[in-house]
Amino acid sequence: TRDGTPRGSSAVSGPQSIVLGIDGRLYVCAEKSDRVVRIDPHTLLRIDTFVEDDPLTPEDENGPLNGPTSATFGPDGALYVASFETDQILRFHGLTGAYEGVFVSAGLGGLDGPDAGTKFGSDGLLYVPSFWNDRVLRYDALGVFVDEFVSFREGSLRQPRDLVQHEGDWYVASSFNNRILRFDALGNYLGIFASVTQPYSLAFNQHDENLYVVSLQLNSVRVFDGQDGSFLDAIVPPGSAGLDGAVYLFFLD
């Protein structure tokens, strides 16, 4: 909620990212069970499994999905899912969940550990944090590698988890060294925007225009001024309502 008060919970095996679908449902990556599940945003009840690849069988029930960390809807309406363990981005039908093939092939452009910040930018390109080699990569509408948007450890980027675009600039969670880094639309490094212990997820709140950051180590959500990055509040205190292993943040409205 806007004031950080817990309103409920839903059991998901290794939740990593959350996105709102055109059907009004939440799509959540369950990394430990190789699934993308759908949840009712009002009741938090699990509706069904939208995408699944049983990790206990050798078959690919719904594509070679292994360790999904991000699900994002593209401009074409398809669902693109980051498969962390296979270094791929897979595409699924946005309405049925049917597997449509590999969008970004394994390791393309040096991709190594596509993480929860995988999402499309305002330019129509897919931005992918490459966790294990400290980069942010870009791909076009066909899955072709475009460039390193953030090159190797630029701005001291270490183990990027999430990223968000706001007013043209990109903000990247550098989880290893406790920083939120800022880059312009061309990938130029603008400096350290904020500092927080082990940042995993970022989101700007449209109501107050401030940056909200999930800290894994602190099990809390911290708020930073959206203009200068100064610390404002711990809106979700450490361990609130039993919070343990906080990794992602998403605003419904």
Side-chain angles (χ1 to χ4, degrees), residues 118-202:
T118 298
K119 61 191 65 172
F120 286 89
S122 59
D123 54 9
L125 298 178
L126 183 65
Y127 289 69
V128 184
S130 187
F131 178 79
W132 289 118
N133 58 10
D134 309 320
R135 296 166 168 84
V136 177
L137 310 178
R138 298 197 296 183
Y139 303 87
D140 68 14
L142 299 177
V144 176
F145 175 65
V146 174
D147 60 14
E148 289 186 1
F149 179 69
V150 177
S151 58
F152 176 63
R153 293 188 181 175
E154 184 177 359
S156 297
L157 179 64
R158 295 296 308 275
Q159 296 185 352
R161 287 286 185 178
D162 197 9
L163 51 86
V164 63
Q165 187 177 31
H166 181 68
E167 296 182 346
D169 290 341
W170 284 91
Y171 299 76
V172 184
S174 184
S175 65
F176 185 82
N177 54 12
N178 309 322
R179 299 170 178 175
I180 309 299
L181 306 181
R182 185 178 183 181
F183 300 85
D184 68 16
L186 298 178
N188 297 309
Y189 176 56
L190 301 179
I192 299 172
F193 183 72
S195 297
V196 59
T197 303
Q198 208 170 7
Y200 258 49
S201 182
L202 317 172

Side-chain angles (χ1 to χ4, degrees), residues 52-136:
E52 177 179 19
D53 182 27
D54 188 344
L56 300 179
T57 67
E59 294 81 21
D60 290 331
E61 288 85 1
N62 202 189
L65 188 61
N66 191 343
T69 51
S70 176
T72 185
F73 287 93
D76 58 357
L79 184 68
Y80 294 81
V81 181
S83 181
F84 188 87
E85 299 298 337
T86 63
D87 302 320
Q88 297 170 304
I89 307 297
L90 310 179
R91 182 169 54 201
F92 300 86
H93 193 282
L95 296 177
T96 67
Y99 176 56
E100 296 185 338
V102 174
F103 180 68
V104 173
S105 59
L108 181 63
L111 183 58
D112 190 4
D115 221 309
T118 298
K119 61 191 65 172
F120 286 89
S122 59
D123 54 9
L125 298 178
L126 183 65
Y127 289 69
V128 184
S130 187
F131 178 79
W132 289 118
N133 58 10
D134 309 320
R135 296 166 168 84
V136 177

